[in-house]
Amino acid sequence: MNNIALPDAVVSVRDLAKRYGAFEALRGVSFDIHRGETFALLGPNGAGKSTTIEILEGYRDRSSGAASVLGTDPQSGGLEWKSRLGIVLQSTGEQGDVTVRDQLAHFASLYPNPRGVDETIAAVGLADKARTRIRALSGGQRRRVDVALGIIGRPELLFLDEPTTGFDPEARQQFWSLVHQLKAEGTTILLTTHYLDEAAQLSDRAAVIAGGELVAIGAIDEIGGAEARVPLVRWTEGGTRHTERTRTPAGTVASLSARLGAEPTDLEIYRPSLEDIYLDLVRENAEAAAAEIDADGPTSPTTRPSATDPITEGASA
Amino acid sequence: MTALAPAASPARTPLGSSIARTLRLGVLRAGYEIRVYFRQADAIFFTFLFPVLLFGIFSVAFSGQGNIGTAPDGSGGISQGAYYLPGMAAAGILLSGVQNLGVDIANERSDGTLKRLAGTPLPVVSYFLGKMGQVLVTGILQLALLIVIARVAFGVELPTDPAKWLTFAWVFLLGIGTSAVLGIAISRLPRRGKSATAVIIPIVLVLQFISGVYLSFTMLPVWLQDVANVFPLAWLAKGMRSVFLPESFASAEAGGAWQLGTVAVVLLLWLVVGIVVSRFTFRWIRKDS
């Protein structure tokens, strides 16, 4: 498993599997993340996103398969390795008895080449909260502290696990511009998010995980295949809604308009968004899984005990 | 949000010498931990002020019973306050280390603090040093407060012999170090942060009752004394009694003497046990099986 990495791959995963007892949280997941790339990992709750990201961060051990992160097996990553990572975990419940500035200054001291503390606080938009205790911040503001702690060490590889949960729209926009700056610096980023517009806005490539398996991977404007992106023309005729998939929507509208001899009612030309494509992928996977369970009977070992990601504490059970 | 300054250089900076770095970060952690400690009202009350409070209560509650160790004619002896001072000093050392760290670290494991630290290049030993530094500083402040209140508010006579204070210094340092590492070790016991106080406080409380902190040690049945003597608190309390009680009280001790050699050996043994158990069982997070 030492030689699986491509020369420019910052993260390499081959046939990754994770089992909790009889439950297979991940099965045969393989992908690479290239240097400087922003890679989004998408999928419903409980699909295996967090399990994957936590295996790569070194928090969980894999059951089988191979993984390489910055050229190191994350199961045996040492301090030198950790100093090159930035980790923004899903939200935590720390006490927060220190001020934003004290917390950032302390974490900066753990890294060999940290960013400036005030500069980082300003970059996440908390300059006017620098002297406030973290416990007194709102949820969205605390999340910004998490992001600041993730980037304070000037990481080569940054993990962002649902980073914008609890952000207001303005904070999300600001966060996006911060990520664009980090990308411009050459930071490689692995992002999970439930906001498909965020994934489309920030990432170069994406993978969709559903039911513990990788169901699609590709450039953000190609994922799901060309067929899924064919535009739709919709209009209302005689009280019913019509939809036509076509590669030549302008021609379709022209001939429709000629045929009707009038302006078509409620006309729209619709190009499927990443969200539409994603939802189709997840739906197809769920239908396939349901068919599989029907075939196997209700005792299939892939039946999942809960619909949520295994959380840290629960995972010890 | 403002723009980030561009990266200084893409070249990696190495972490540097590991021992020097571990010590430097340990000192930084200690400063951070002490600041956090004094911002937590519950920690201050239950571990910092508790022995002082109990001392006050005992001294007042039992003052009507007159002095202890008086001559047959009722003269001499020492006040109830003077009698309880060494026990409370030992209890403070136990609370500052075992109870404070046992609960604190279990909570940090539960609330995500340790998970976050696990993702940084902080050495585990630096984290330990930070906790031990916090225990040392708060332990010193706590004992200083206890002794000052005993002297000023309750008129307890303090030893004047420098040799007694030398004994005090080594018993304190050995005791606080042992208590700190045992606190780190015991933090593995609670499965969840919420149950931390329920798991750890009874252990600490029972130990105090059987180790001569609240009750005079020699009034306990011998078998219970034998049980207590396995643990460090009974010896810590005995060491403190040798400092604060008059020499004439030595004959009332089990074995009829202060037995400072045994105090040192038992505390050292527990210190080593605590270090070994902490170092080899500590995990930032509970990894799944």
Side-chain angles (χ1 to χ4, degrees):
Chain A
M1 70 181 71
N2 289 323
N3 297 320
I4 62 161
L6 300 171
D8 75 330
V10 171
V11 173
S12 268
V13 169
R14 290 292 174 276
D15 217 14
L16 193 66
K18 177 70 190 176
R19 283 177 292 278
Y20 299 100
F23 169 52
E24 291 182 289
L26 279 183
R27 276 175 293 171
V29 169
S30 300
F31 61 86
D32 291 304
I33 303 175
H34 308 125
R35 187 164 291 282
E37 179 176 55
T38 298
F39 187 88
L41 208 50
L42 309 175
N45 287 331
K49 297 188 306 289
S50 286
T51 300
T52 306
I53 203 166
E54 293 208 337
I55 287 172
L56 298 178
E57 289 163 344
Y59 286 123
R60 289 170 197 257
D61 293 340
R62 58 186 181 271
S63 303
S64 62
S68 164
V69 173
L70 294 169
T72 298
D73 182 337
Q75 240 155 273
S76 55
L79 298 179
E80 198 84 45
W81 177 74
K82 288 180 185 175
S83 74
R84 300 163 65 195
L85 301 180
I87 297 177
V88 177
L89 296 161
Q90 281 190 28
S91 53
T92 55
E94 289 151 284
Q95 293 297 309
D97 287 304
V98 288
T99 66
V100 172
R101 195 175 191 293
D102 284 352
Q103 184 78 336
L104 265 296
H106 179 66
F107 276 75
S109 70
L110 307 180
Y111 291 90
N113 180 28
R115 276 178 218 284
V117 170
D118 293 316
E119 166 209 334
T120 307
I121 293 172
V124 297
L126 286 177
D128 57 336
K129 296 284 180 191
R131 308 212 170 270
T132 305
R133 286 193 195 178
I134 292 169
R135 68 156 72 237
L137 299 178
S138 72
Q141 289 168 336
R142 284 184 77 138
R143 202 72 191 120
R144 298 194 203 188
V145 176
D146 292 337
V147 172
L149 291 172
I151 65 172
I152 189 76
R154 223 183 272 285
E156 281 174 63
L157 170 62
L158 176 61
F159 294 99
L160 296 171
D161 201 355
E162 299 182 12
T164 57
T165 307
F167 279 26
D168 58 38
E170 192 193 354
R172 278 178 77 209
Q173 290 281 353
Q174 289 176 339
F175 172 76
W176 292 358
S177 84
L178 172 64
V179 170
H180 284 299
Q181 289 174 50
L182 295 169
K183 281 177 78 166
E185 286 180 14
T187 313
T188 308
I189 299 171
L190 173 52
L191 167 77
T192 76
T193 180
H194 285 301
Y195 304 108
L196 279 297
D197 58 333
E198 183 163 285
Q201 172 69 225
L202 298 179
S203 40
D204 305 301
R205 287 194 308 139
V208 176
I209 291 191
E213 287 178 296
L214 201 81
V215 295
I217 184 168
I220 207 77
D221 50 4
E222 290 169 7
I223 192 166
E227 204 54 43
R229 284 163 206 283
V230 172
L232 303 170
V233 176
R234 292 175 181 154
W235 72 97
T236 304
E237 192 181 331
T240 52
R241 194 88 178 125
H242 294 262
T243 301
E244 192 174 320
R245 243 177 208 276
T246 169
R247 288 176 197 285
T248 54
T252 304
V253 170
S255 57
L256 177 67
S257 160
R259 179 166 64 75
L260 293 174
E263 180 68 20
T265 312
D266 298 335
L267 174 69
E268 60 179 350
I269 298 175
Y270 186 75
R271 201 168 284 276
S273 67
L274 180 60
E275 182 145 357
D276 299 312
I277 294 162
Y278 163 81
L279 288 173
D280 280 343
L281 284 166
V282 171
R283 198 175 303 124
E284 282 164 25
N285 178 270
E287 281 161 11
E292 196 177 306
I293 288 169
D294 285 346
D296 294 357
T299 55
S300 162
T302 57
T303 305
R304 150 166 357 134
S306 108
T308 54
D309 272 335
I311 54 169
T312 320
E313 290 279 328
S316 61
Chain B
M1 300 205 182
T2 56
L4 289 166
S9 94
R12 257 182 278 140
T13 316
L15 289 180
S17 150
S18 72
I19 293 174
R21 181 173 179 274
T22 300
L23 291 176
R24 185 174 59 80
L25 291 183
V27 171
L28 282 176
R29 283 297 302 174
Y32 177 90
E33 298 274 12
I34 291 164
R35 246 178 310 161
V36 170
Y37 180 91
F38 283 107
R39 287 175 186 182
Q40 294 174 327
D42 50 350
I44 292 178
F45 185 78
F46 283 107
T47 64
F48 192 79
L49 296 179
F50 200 59
V52 179
L53 201 71
L54 274 186
F55 171 76
I57 291 171
F58 283 145
S59 302
V60 174
F62 299 126
S63 60
Q65 298 181 4
N67 282 3
I68 294 172
T70 47
D73 64 358
S75 68
I78 57 169
S79 68
Q80 294 285 345
Y83 186 69
Y84 274 108
L85 177 60
M88 290 304 129
I93 291 169
L94 184 79
L95 294 180
S96 291
V98 175
Q99 179 172 314
N100 168 33
L101 288 192
V103 172
D104 179 36
I105 297 175
N107 275 319
E108 287 192 342
R109 183 172 288 118
S110 185
D111 71 16
T113 304
L114 295 193
K115 190 171 187 185
R116 194 193 295 282
L117 290 176
T120 72
L122 174 71
V124 170
V125 172
S126 302
Y127 174 77
F128 285 4
L129 290 174
K131 290 291 184 199
M132 293 171 78
Q134 181 229 75
V135 169
L136 178 68
V137 169
T138 59
I140 288 173
L141 293 176
Q142 182 182 51
L143 272 201
L145 184 67
L146 181 67
I147 290 170
V148 165
I149 286 182
R151 180 75 198 90
V152 174
F154 296 94
V156 172
E157 292 289 334
L158 297 178
T160 47
D161 180 1
K164 292 279 188 188
W165 287 107
L166 192 69
T167 306
F168 173 77
W170 73 252
V171 171
F172 169 74
L173 287 175
L174 203 50
I176 202 85
T178 304
S179 182
V181 294
L182 291 178
I184 296 171
I186 208 173
S187 72
R188 285 283 287 180
L189 283 185
R191 297 287 298 175
R192 291 173 301 124
K194 275 182 185 166
S195 61
T197 48
V199 172
I200 287 169
I201 289 183
I203 299 175
V204 171
L205 204 59
V206 167
L207 210 50
Q208 290 177 85
F209 271 103
I210 67 170
S211 298
V213 168
Y214 301 137
L215 311 171
S216 172
F217 194 56
T218 44
M219 70 176 261
L220 298 174
V222 173
W223 67 266
L224 199 54
Q225 292 185 28
D226 290 342
V227 171
N229 275 335
V230 174
F231 300 100
L233 183 60
W235 297 97
L236 185 56
K238 190 164 180 158
M240 285 296 171
R241 285 198 295 275
S242 84
V243 173
F244 291 104
L245 298 187
E247 218 35 63
S248 59
F249 279 66
S251 57
E253 289 288 320
W258 298 124
Q259 298 173 312
L260 286 178
T262 318
V263 170
V265 169
V266 174
L267 290 181
L268 260 178
L269 274 176
W270 276 100
L271 179 69
V272 172
V273 166
I275 289 172
V276 170
V277 171
S278 309
R279 190 67 192 94
F280 290 103
T281 65
F282 182 85
R283 299 286 177 273
W284 290 118
I285 58 168
R286 291 185 191 276
K287 260 195 189 182
D288 43 74
S289 54

